[in-house]
Amino acid sequence: MRISTVRRVGLAVAVAAALTSVGACGGPDDGGAAKGDGKAESRGTAVVKTNAIAALLDVQKKTGAASSAKVDATMVLGSAMSMKQSGALDWSDGISGSMKITYTGGAMADTLKKAGGSSTMEARYFKDGYAADMGAALARQTGGKHWISYSYDVLAELGGASGAVMKDQMQNTSPSQGVNALLASGEVKEVGKEEVRGVAATHYSGTVDVAELTARTSKLDAGRLAALKKQLTDAGITTETIDIWVDGNDLLVKKTERGQMKTGELNSTVFYSDYGTKVAVERPPAGETIGFKELLQQQGAAGTAS
């Protein structure tokens, strides 16, 4: 795999992760951005939730506190990429865990195929960054190092507004962020009762203004926030429809996000199961790992030499 190709692939993954995460930006932990009073009334020993906001406040709390789960997901990001992912994640202190990622279509899959790389890779997530196994094609270019290590600080530095958002999201994310987004928008309704992979669930839906939600919940300074809004506008992302399905224990079992980009649809579906599962992840061996910034520096040195 050519180093220039790895650079393009690496930056594309970072930007994609940032753009798809802003639609799930977390609202305030106490649901303070939600519209509606969220009241519940008691009838005997049961508590009857009077509206969708009240129900989602319980989901937000219980899903966020669950700490870990198994995850099974698919995502389409316009013509850039489509992928499927499976693994287990822990969000008790930032994101940690391991996911198997397969690029199933789009420019990303084509680039990997032409470069001789595998369309399937492993990603390991840590509090300060993540590592991706790019396989033998990368190892041939880096003296046997087939893992790329991405520091969130480096991605924030190199990626501008997208990198800053990605850093914030990956260090403060949990499955309840889809719930937070609906609470922050205030535009949420209960659709009905449905079954999700054999589990009885309640379906909620709402539409989120991506730029407004980002402005309200982001920790970015004014300059980077303006840059991010421009980036979203240039990409054609304005609103997303978020649907969630919740089981009888107020735990999220499914989430979908749908929107439009200039390059096509933005569509993701995530299933959650086995809450509380044990998640253990090890950093790849140092001798088999190269930092993304170091990779870029090597490319620059190679370009100068030629």
Side-chain angles (χ1 to χ4, degrees), residues 19 22 160-162 165 209-218 220-238 262:
L19 289 177
V22 293
S162 287
V165 169
D209 184 310
V210 174
E212 284 300 314
L213 184 61
T214 301
R216 271 192 279 171
T217 63
S218 176
L220 301 181
D221 58 37
R224 282 192 165 178
L225 184 59
L228 178 62
K229 284 189 173 184
K230 182 179 185 303
Q231 190 175 67
L232 292 169
T233 300
D234 291 346
I237 303 174
T238 56
K262 288 184 177 178

Side-chain angles (χ1 to χ4, degrees), residues 6 9-11 13-14 128-132 134 148-152 155 291-292:
V6 173
V9 169
L11 285 175
V13 169
D128 59 350
Y130 68 97
M134 302 295 289
I148 301 180
S149 176
Y150 296 84
S151 160
Y152 294 137
L155 288 176
F292 185 51

Side-chain angles (χ1 to χ4, degrees), residues 13-304:
V13 169
V15 171
L19 289 177
T20 55
S21 69
V22 293
C25 286
D29 289 339
D30 61 0
K35 298 176 183 177
D37 57 19
K39 292 180 181 178
E41 60 185 30
S42 296
R43 294 181 184 172
T45 59
V47 176
V48 179
K49 297 159 186 173
T50 57
N51 56 40
I53 295 297
L56 292 186
L57 287 171
D58 280 348
V59 176
Q60 177 195 52
K61 180 179 179 180
K62 292 184 179 180
T63 298
S67 298
S68 64
K70 292 182 179 179
V71 180
D72 184 16
T74 59
M75 182 179 74
V76 175
L77 189 65
S79 59
M81 69 181 73
S82 60
M83 67 175 75
K84 58 182 180 181
Q85 308 171 68
S86 63
L89 296 173
D90 184 298
W91 55 89
S92 59
D93 185 20
I95 281 289
S96 64
S98 177
M99 297 288 287
K100 179 182 178 182
I101 301 173
T102 300
Y103 292 97
T104 55
M108 178 70 77
D110 291 343
T111 297
L112 288 169
K113 184 178 180 180
K114 291 176 182 177
S118 172
S119 61
T120 298
M121 63 188 68
E122 179 187 358
R124 297 180 185 177
Y125 297 90
F126 310 95
K127 186 175 181 180
D128 59 350
Y130 68 97
D133 186 353
M134 302 295 289
L138 175 65
R140 288 193 292 268
Q141 300 290 326
T142 58
K145 297 181 178 182
H146 56 96
W147 287 89
I148 301 180
S149 176
Y150 296 84
S151 160
Y152 294 137
D153 286 338
V154 168
L155 288 176
E157 173 190 340
L158 298 176
S162 287
V165 169
M166 181 181 182
K167 177 183 177 182
D168 178 66
Q169 291 302 301
M170 294 304 294
Q171 290 184 321
N172 299 286
T173 193
S174 79
S176 63
Q177 284 194 323
V179 181
N180 296 355
L182 292 179
L183 287 170
S185 73
E187 301 298 326
V188 58
K189 63 181 179 180
E190 180 179 330
V191 178
K193 308 295 182 181
E194 300 171 17
E195 192 171 278
V196 176
R197 293 186 169 182
V199 176
T202 304
H203 179 186
Y204 299 92
S205 181
T207 299
V208 173
D209 184 310
V210 174
E212 284 300 314
L213 184 61
T214 301
R216 271 192 279 171
T217 63
S218 176
K219 299 177 182 177
L220 301 181
D221 58 37
R224 282 192 165 178
L225 184 59
L228 178 62
K229 284 189 173 184
K230 182 179 185 303
Q231 190 175 67
L232 292 169
T233 300
D234 291 346
I237 303 174
T238 56
T239 61
E240 281 191 337
T241 299
I242 298 178
D243 289 75
I244 64 172
W245 287 258
V246 180
D247 70 10
N249 295 316
D250 290 326
L251 292 173
L252 189 65
V253 292
K254 179 182 177 183
K255 179 186 71 172
T256 65
E257 297 180 55
R258 304 184 308 280
Q260 282 296 130
M261 306 173 63
K262 288 184 177 178
T263 57
E265 67 173 337
L266 188 161
N267 195 328
S268 73
T269 300
V270 187
F271 294 93
Y272 301 96
S273 63
D274 297 282
Y275 278 94
T277 190
K278 185 176 181 180
V279 176
V281 60
E282 294 183 0
R283 292 186 185 273
E288 300 175 9
T289 305
I290 184 170
F292 185 51
K293 193 170 186 178
E294 180 185 354
L295 193 62
L296 298 185
Q297 291 171 341
Q298 283 188 4
Q299 180 192 353
T304 301

